[in-house]
Amino acid sequence: MSEIEYVDNPAQHRYEIRDGETVAGLAAYRLPDDTHVDFVHTEVDEAYNGQGLASNLVAFALADVRAKGRRIIPHCPYVAKWLKRHGEEFADIADCPA
């Protein structure tokens, strides 16, 4: 395994977990308006399961959304669950669907 890095790939509307040239996981999003980043799906390649990478990716993505002055919509079940467990610091930028 190379050095793991987390990046936004705006051309593909997703945050990625990268292991060198390999995309080991992603958090896909859509941009419904100028304010929101709507997270719709998160996945990690089976070979990388159990390492906490998805949790780290979500933390990275939400911090990046905040830094860009935007808000989040957690339609992705994983992101919604992550927010319930760890999201106190992101509650001010979360618009949870009903």
Side-chain angles (χ1 to χ4, degrees), residues 1-19:
M1 185 163 38
S2 304
E3 177 94 15
I4 295 293
E5 77 176 316
Y6 303 92
V7 298
D8 183 15
N9 181 344
Q12 293 193 6
H13 289 107
R14 65 190 197 182
Y15 284 88
E16 297 176 343
I17 303 166
R18 291 189 185 161
D19 180 7

Side-chain angles (χ1 to χ4, degrees), residues 23-34:
V23 175
L26 60 92
Y29 60 83
R30 60 186 197 89
L31 302 171
D33 54 45
D34 291 338

Side-chain angles (χ1 to χ4, degrees), residues 31-63:
L31 302 171
D33 54 45
D34 291 338
T35 304
H36 292 93
V37 177
D38 183 2
F39 287 92
V40 294
H41 179 71
T42 302
E43 67 181 65
V44 174
D45 186 284
E46 236 179 78
Y48 294 87
N49 282 349
Q51 299 177 43
L53 299 180
S55 182
N56 292 343
L57 176 64
V58 171
F60 173 85
L62 299 187

Side-chain angles (χ1 to χ4, degrees), residues 50-91:
Q51 299 177 43
L53 299 180
S55 182
N56 292 343
L57 176 64
V58 171
F60 173 85
L62 299 187
D64 189 61
V65 169
R66 169 178 275 140
K68 292 175 180 172
R70 302 188 86 175
R71 300 182 60 79
I72 62 166
I73 302 171
H75 277 113
C76 168
Y78 184 85
V79 174
K81 187 174 162 183
W82 189 95
L83 278 169
K84 285 184 181 180
R85 286 192 317 243
H86 310 286
E88 300 82 27
E89 69 181 285
F90 297 105

